[in-house]
Amino acid sequence: MTDSTNFSVRSTAALKNGEVRANFRRAMDGLMAKRAAVFADPAEWQALRALGASIKARALARLPALLVRLEERCRANGIAVHWAENAAEANELVLSLLRAHGATRLVKGKSMVSEEMGLNEFLEEHGVESLESDLGEYVIQLDHETPSHIIMPAIHKNRRQIARLFGEKIRNAEYTEDVDALTAIARRVLRKKFEEADAGLSGVNFAVAETGTLVLVENEGNGRMSTHVPPLHVAVMGIEKVVERLEDVPPLLSLLTRSATGQIVTTYVNMISGPRAPDEKDGPREVHLVILDNGRSRIFQDPELAATLRCIRCGACMNHCPVYTRVGGHAYEAVTPGPIGKVLNPQMEGLAARRELPHASSLCGACVEVCPVEIPITELLVRLRGEAAHASPGSTVLQAGEALDPAEDRAWAIWRWVFGSPSHYRLASRLLTRLRFVPRPRVGPLRAWTSVRTAPRPAPRSLHELAKERGVPDA
Ligand code: SF4
């Protein structure tokens, strides 16, 4: 369970770290500009995102049936399908598949679900070398870190930091700050690992129920190498990745790549529909799909919060969030940081365990404006704030009503009393005008606000008093 003060502590530390702030500022400014350029036509953007939202909403409306269909079609294609209730089960499943094939060396394409499972650590504990082959993931694995962004996991590092890291951790790597040379060093190491690997593991961007196809997008070719070079390919996905038809994929791909990196299309779009056929010269001899629930079916039960599952993990909400872009991804200490993480993690791990996250937002709505599948993130955050304090009737939210902050509850009780009747309101405003010279607080719960802002001083006379003096009739 996460200490409830941790987000405050970590975000404060991040704000004081000039290098982290500069790295994020530079990267996010670039990503925002690229996204704006590829969505320059507002009418096209609105039409496409409405289509994307409707595709995901349609898939969610039929989620159980589509998952059954996906399993049938995958099996018909020769892909073995496995179901995991939680991360521990998924890890055991992957390990048993590797053991059944005598595999001790695994190369991984990028997969946020495997991060959610803590797969690398689990496999290392059980004697399996699990190597990240996405360049950003490889960098943070070398430095024993977690991703700070869902699309660009090492975005918090600049090239000097990566140069130092490669110089320290990679044998025979000369120190260089040249980006191409750094990439070449990583490629040299990874090429050899691809050749030696007994198995490859990948995530899934979209799984097509109609055809049993696993769609995977990437820019580096490592995803293709991980899924095609080793004899065994294991794909892991959350239940929400299923879409109904093949024709649903192109609009979602367009929204995903443009929102994520400002690319019209990624360098590679892999569509995996089964293992190597007898007359084919390459490809894995076996393909397995592990479908993970891990709390998603609970989220699915709530008609409002189920919108969380529409997320296509583009990261645009992070790139535009005024909180995320300043404190960075590690402050959240979560696999999914930023706005969607503030909605997703409390639902998956519990509101008491993640009590600070729904509050770590100004509700400015920048995330909602750029979300390509129209997830009403701010509305969901407000809903979760309410659920944290008082569970709604029939609530299925984990730890609903268990994160009540007594001070906040008292503050809202006072607010209700003041605004609940005209006489209370008048009394309170009169009292405030009389107390206007009381020193503004430098300590206590208002400190976080007043340390960076000047606390407002009440006017000498309330509006009602002034109106009364001028003979304005009371409403
Ligand atoms: S919530 Fe929307 S903007 Fe954020 S990652 Fe998901 S799809 Fe992208």
Side-chain angles (χ1 to χ4, degrees), residues 368-403:
V368 180
E369 275 181 31
V370 297
C371 177
V373 283
E374 297 182 342
I375 300 176
I377 295 173
T378 47
E379 286 173 28
L380 302 185
L381 285 170
V382 171
R383 165 81 193 280
L384 289 175
R385 289 179 187 183
E387 289 284 350
H390 304 284
S392 64
S395 175
T396 54
V397 183
L398 196 59
Q399 298 174 342
E402 291 181 30

Short mmCIF file of all heavy atoms in Angstrom, two decimals, residues 368-403:
data_model
loop_
_atom_site.label_atom_id
_atom_site.label_comp_id
_atom_site.label_asym_id
_atom_site.label_seq_id
_atom_site.Cartn_x
_atom_site.Cartn_y
_atom_site.Cartn_z
N VAL A 368 -8.92 16.34 -21.05
CA VAL A 368 -10.18 15.98 -21.74
C VAL A 368 -10.16 16.51 -23.17
O VAL A 368 -10.59 15.83 -24.10
CB VAL A 368 -11.39 16.54 -20.96
CG1 VAL A 368 -12.69 16.17 -21.65
CG2 VAL A 368 -11.38 16.03 -19.52
N GLU A 369 -9.63 17.71 -23.32
CA GLU A 369 -9.60 18.33 -24.66
C GLU A 369 -8.78 17.53 -25.66
O GLU A 369 -9.09 17.51 -26.85
CB GLU A 369 -9.01 19.74 -24.58
CG GLU A 369 -10.06 20.76 -24.20
CD GLU A 369 -9.46 22.15 -24.15
OE1 GLU A 369 -8.52 22.43 -24.91
OE2 GLU A 369 -9.95 22.94 -23.33
N VAL A 370 -7.72 16.86 -25.20
CA VAL A 370 -6.85 16.16 -26.15
C VAL A 370 -7.10 14.65 -26.20
O VAL A 370 -6.52 13.97 -27.05
CB VAL A 370 -5.35 16.41 -25.84
CG1 VAL A 370 -5.01 17.87 -26.00
CG2 VAL A 370 -4.98 15.90 -24.46
N CYS A 371 -7.94 14.15 -25.33
CA CYS A 371 -8.14 12.69 -25.30
C CYS A 371 -8.81 12.23 -26.60
O CYS A 371 -9.91 12.67 -26.92
CB CYS A 371 -8.98 12.27 -24.10
SG CYS A 371 -9.28 10.48 -24.11
N PRO A 372 -8.18 11.32 -27.34
CA PRO A 372 -8.73 10.92 -28.64
C PRO A 372 -9.95 10.01 -28.55
O PRO A 372 -10.55 9.73 -29.58
CB PRO A 372 -7.55 10.19 -29.29
CG PRO A 372 -6.75 9.68 -28.16
CD PRO A 372 -6.89 10.67 -27.05
N VAL A 373 -10.29 9.55 -27.35
CA VAL A 373 -11.49 8.70 -27.23
C VAL A 373 -12.49 9.31 -26.24
O VAL A 373 -13.33 8.61 -25.68
CB VAL A 373 -11.12 7.25 -26.84
CG1 VAL A 373 -10.58 6.50 -28.06
CG2 VAL A 373 -10.12 7.20 -25.71
N GLU A 374 -12.35 10.63 -26.03
CA GLU A 374 -13.33 11.42 -25.28
C GLU A 374 -13.60 10.87 -23.87
O GLU A 374 -14.75 10.78 -23.45
CB GLU A 374 -14.64 11.51 -26.06
CG GLU A 374 -14.49 12.24 -27.38
CD GLU A 374 -15.82 12.37 -28.13
OE1 GLU A 374 -16.78 11.65 -27.81
OE2 GLU A 374 -15.87 13.22 -29.05
N ILE A 375 -12.56 10.51 -23.17
CA ILE A 375 -12.76 10.07 -21.77
C ILE A 375 -12.94 11.32 -20.91
O ILE A 375 -12.09 12.21 -20.91
CB ILE A 375 -11.57 9.24 -21.26
CG1 ILE A 375 -11.40 7.99 -22.14
CG2 ILE A 375 -11.78 8.84 -19.80
CD1 ILE A 375 -10.21 7.13 -21.79
N PRO A 376 -14.06 11.42 -20.18
CA PRO A 376 -14.30 12.63 -19.37
C PRO A 376 -13.50 12.58 -18.07
O PRO A 376 -14.06 12.41 -16.98
CB PRO A 376 -15.81 12.57 -19.11
CG PRO A 376 -16.14 11.11 -19.15
CD PRO A 376 -15.16 10.45 -20.08
N ILE A 377 -12.19 12.72 -18.18
CA ILE A 377 -11.29 12.47 -17.04
C ILE A 377 -11.65 13.34 -15.83
O ILE A 377 -11.68 12.85 -14.69
CB ILE A 377 -9.81 12.71 -17.47
CG1 ILE A 377 -9.43 11.68 -18.53
CG2 ILE A 377 -8.87 12.61 -16.28
CD1 ILE A 377 -8.06 11.89 -19.15
N THR A 378 -11.95 14.61 -16.07
CA THR A 378 -12.23 15.48 -14.92
C THR A 378 -13.51 15.03 -14.20
O THR A 378 -13.57 15.05 -12.97
CB THR A 378 -12.36 16.95 -15.36
OG1 THR A 378 -13.20 17.01 -16.51
CG2 THR A 378 -11.02 17.55 -15.70
N GLU A 379 -14.51 14.62 -14.96
CA GLU A 379 -15.75 14.14 -14.32
C GLU A 379 -15.47 12.87 -13.50
O GLU A 379 -16.01 12.70 -12.40
CB GLU A 379 -16.82 13.84 -15.37
CG GLU A 379 -17.42 15.08 -15.98
CD GLU A 379 -18.36 14.77 -17.15
OE1 GLU A 379 -18.94 13.68 -17.17
OE2 GLU A 379 -18.47 15.63 -18.04
N LEU A 380 -14.62 12.01 -14.04
CA LEU A 380 -14.30 10.78 -13.31
C LEU A 380 -13.49 11.09 -12.05
O LEU A 380 -13.67 10.45 -11.01
CB LEU A 380 -13.54 9.81 -14.22
CG LEU A 380 -14.24 9.40 -15.52
CD1 LEU A 380 -13.43 8.33 -16.27
CD2 LEU A 380 -15.65 8.89 -15.28
N LEU A 381 -12.62 12.10 -12.14
CA LEU A 381 -11.84 12.49 -10.95
C LEU A 381 -12.77 13.01 -9.85
O LEU A 381 -12.61 12.66 -8.67
CB LEU A 381 -10.82 13.58 -11.31
CG LEU A 381 -9.58 13.13 -12.09
CD1 LEU A 381 -8.80 14.33 -12.60
CD2 LEU A 381 -8.69 12.25 -11.23
N VAL A 382 -13.74 13.83 -10.24
CA VAL A 382 -14.69 14.37 -9.25
C VAL A 382 -15.50 13.23 -8.64
O VAL A 382 -15.72 13.17 -7.42
CB VAL A 382 -15.61 15.43 -9.90
CG1 VAL A 382 -16.73 15.83 -8.95
CG2 VAL A 382 -14.80 16.65 -10.32
N ARG A 383 -15.92 12.30 -9.48
CA ARG A 383 -16.67 11.14 -8.98
C ARG A 383 -15.84 10.36 -7.96
O ARG A 383 -16.33 9.97 -6.90
CB ARG A 383 -17.07 10.27 -10.18
CG ARG A 383 -17.54 8.89 -9.86
CD ARG A 383 -19.00 8.82 -9.42
NE ARG A 383 -19.29 7.54 -8.85
CZ ARG A 383 -19.53 6.43 -9.58
NH1 ARG A 383 -19.59 6.52 -10.89
NH2 ARG A 383 -19.75 5.27 -8.97
N LEU A 384 -14.56 10.15 -8.29
CA LEU A 384 -13.70 9.37 -7.38
C LEU A 384 -13.43 10.13 -6.08
O LEU A 384 -13.32 9.53 -5.02
CB LEU A 384 -12.38 8.99 -8.07
CG LEU A 384 -12.52 7.95 -9.18
CD1 LEU A 384 -11.19 7.73 -9.89
CD2 LEU A 384 -13.03 6.62 -8.63
N ARG A 385 -13.32 11.46 -6.18
CA ARG A 385 -13.16 12.24 -4.93
C ARG A 385 -14.36 12.00 -4.02
O ARG A 385 -14.22 11.85 -2.81
CB ARG A 385 -13.03 13.73 -5.26
CG ARG A 385 -11.71 14.09 -5.92
CD ARG A 385 -11.65 15.57 -6.25
NE ARG A 385 -10.46 15.89 -7.02
CZ ARG A 385 -10.11 17.11 -7.41
NH1 ARG A 385 -10.85 18.14 -7.09
NH2 ARG A 385 -9.01 17.31 -8.11
N GLY A 386 -15.55 12.01 -4.62
CA GLY A 386 -16.76 11.77 -3.84
C GLY A 386 -16.79 10.36 -3.29
O GLY A 386 -17.10 10.15 -2.10
N GLU A 387 -16.43 9.38 -4.13
CA GLU A 387 -16.44 7.98 -3.69
C GLU A 387 -15.45 7.76 -2.55
O GLU A 387 -15.67 6.93 -1.68
CB GLU A 387 -16.08 7.05 -4.85
CG GLU A 387 -17.14 6.93 -5.92
CD GLU A 387 -18.31 6.05 -5.53
OE1 GLU A 387 -18.22 5.37 -4.49
OE2 GLU A 387 -19.33 6.08 -6.25
N ALA A 388 -14.34 8.48 -2.61
CA ALA A 388 -13.31 8.31 -1.57
C ALA A 388 -13.87 8.68 -0.20
O ALA A 388 -13.58 8.02 0.80
CB ALA A 388 -12.09 9.18 -1.89
N ALA A 389 -14.69 9.71 -0.17
CA ALA A 389 -15.23 10.17 1.12
C ALA A 389 -16.47 9.38 1.52
O ALA A 389 -16.61 8.94 2.67
CB ALA A 389 -15.55 11.66 1.03
N HIS A 390 -17.41 9.22 0.60
CA HIS A 390 -18.67 8.54 0.91
C HIS A 390 -19.04 7.65 -0.27
O HIS A 390 -19.31 8.17 -1.37
CB HIS A 390 -19.79 9.56 1.15
CG HIS A 390 -19.46 10.53 2.23
ND1 HIS A 390 -19.51 10.20 3.57
CD2 HIS A 390 -19.05 11.82 2.18
CE1 HIS A 390 -19.15 11.25 4.29
NE2 HIS A 390 -18.86 12.25 3.48
N ALA A 391 -19.10 6.35 -0.05
CA ALA A 391 -19.43 5.42 -1.14
C ALA A 391 -20.85 5.69 -1.64
O ALA A 391 -21.77 5.86 -0.84
CB ALA A 391 -19.31 3.99 -0.66
N SER A 392 -21.00 5.75 -2.95
CA SER A 392 -22.35 5.92 -3.51
C SER A 392 -23.11 4.60 -3.36
O SER A 392 -22.49 3.54 -3.23
CB SER A 392 -22.26 6.35 -4.97
OG SER A 392 -21.67 5.32 -5.72
N PRO A 393 -24.47 4.65 -3.38
CA PRO A 393 -25.23 3.40 -3.21
C PRO A 393 -24.82 2.36 -4.26
O PRO A 393 -24.77 2.67 -5.44
CB PRO A 393 -26.69 3.85 -3.43
CG PRO A 393 -26.69 5.33 -3.18
CD PRO A 393 -25.34 5.83 -3.57
N GLY A 394 -24.52 1.16 -3.79
CA GLY A 394 -24.15 0.06 -4.70
C GLY A 394 -22.78 0.24 -5.34
O GLY A 394 -22.49 -0.43 -6.34
N SER A 395 -21.94 1.11 -4.79
CA SER A 395 -20.64 1.38 -5.40
C SER A 395 -19.78 0.11 -5.51
O SER A 395 -19.72 -0.69 -4.59
CB SER A 395 -19.88 2.42 -4.57
OG SER A 395 -18.58 2.59 -5.09
N THR A 396 -19.14 -0.05 -6.68
CA THR A 396 -18.22 -1.18 -6.85
C THR A 396 -16.76 -0.71 -6.81
O THR A 396 -15.85 -1.48 -7.08
CB THR A 396 -18.47 -1.88 -8.21
OG1 THR A 396 -18.39 -0.90 -9.25
CG2 THR A 396 -19.80 -2.58 -8.25
N VAL A 397 -16.56 0.58 -6.48
CA VAL A 397 -15.21 1.12 -6.47
C VAL A 397 -14.45 0.57 -5.26
O VAL A 397 -14.98 0.58 -4.14
CB VAL A 397 -15.22 2.67 -6.42
CG1 VAL A 397 -13.80 3.22 -6.49
CG2 VAL A 397 -16.06 3.23 -7.55
N LEU A 398 -13.24 0.09 -5.50
CA LEU A 398 -12.44 -0.51 -4.43
C LEU A 398 -12.13 0.52 -3.34
O LEU A 398 -11.66 1.62 -3.64
CB LEU A 398 -11.14 -1.06 -5.05
CG LEU A 398 -10.32 -2.04 -4.24
CD1 LEU A 398 -11.13 -3.28 -3.91
CD2 LEU A 398 -9.05 -2.42 -5.02
N GLN A 399 -12.42 0.16 -2.09
CA GLN A 399 -12.18 1.01 -0.91
C GLN A 399 -13.00 2.31 -0.96
O GLN A 399 -12.57 3.33 -0.42
CB GLN A 399 -10.69 1.33 -0.75
CG GLN A 399 -9.83 0.09 -0.54
CD GLN A 399 -8.34 0.37 -0.53
OE1 GLN A 399 -7.89 1.42 -0.99
NE2 GLN A 399 -7.55 -0.56 -0.02
N ALA A 400 -14.16 2.25 -1.59
CA ALA A 400 -15.03 3.45 -1.59
C ALA A 400 -15.43 3.77 -0.16
O ALA A 400 -15.74 2.89 0.63
CB ALA A 400 -16.27 3.18 -2.44
N GLY A 401 -15.39 5.06 0.17
CA GLY A 401 -15.76 5.50 1.52
C GLY A 401 -14.67 5.28 2.55
O GLY A 401 -14.85 5.57 3.73
N GLU A 402 -13.52 4.79 2.14
CA GLU A 402 -12.46 4.48 3.10
C GLU A 402 -11.34 5.52 3.08
O GLU A 402 -10.30 5.32 3.70
CB GLU A 402 -11.85 3.10 2.83
CG GLU A 402 -12.81 1.96 3.12
CD GLU A 402 -12.17 0.61 2.85
OE1 GLU A 402 -10.94 0.50 2.99
OE2 GLU A 402 -12.91 -0.31 2.50
N ALA A 403 -11.52 6.59 2.34
CA ALA A 403 -10.44 7.59 2.25
C ALA A 403 -10.94 8.96 2.67
O ALA A 403 -10.52 9.98 2.13
CB ALA A 403 -9.87 7.61 0.83
#
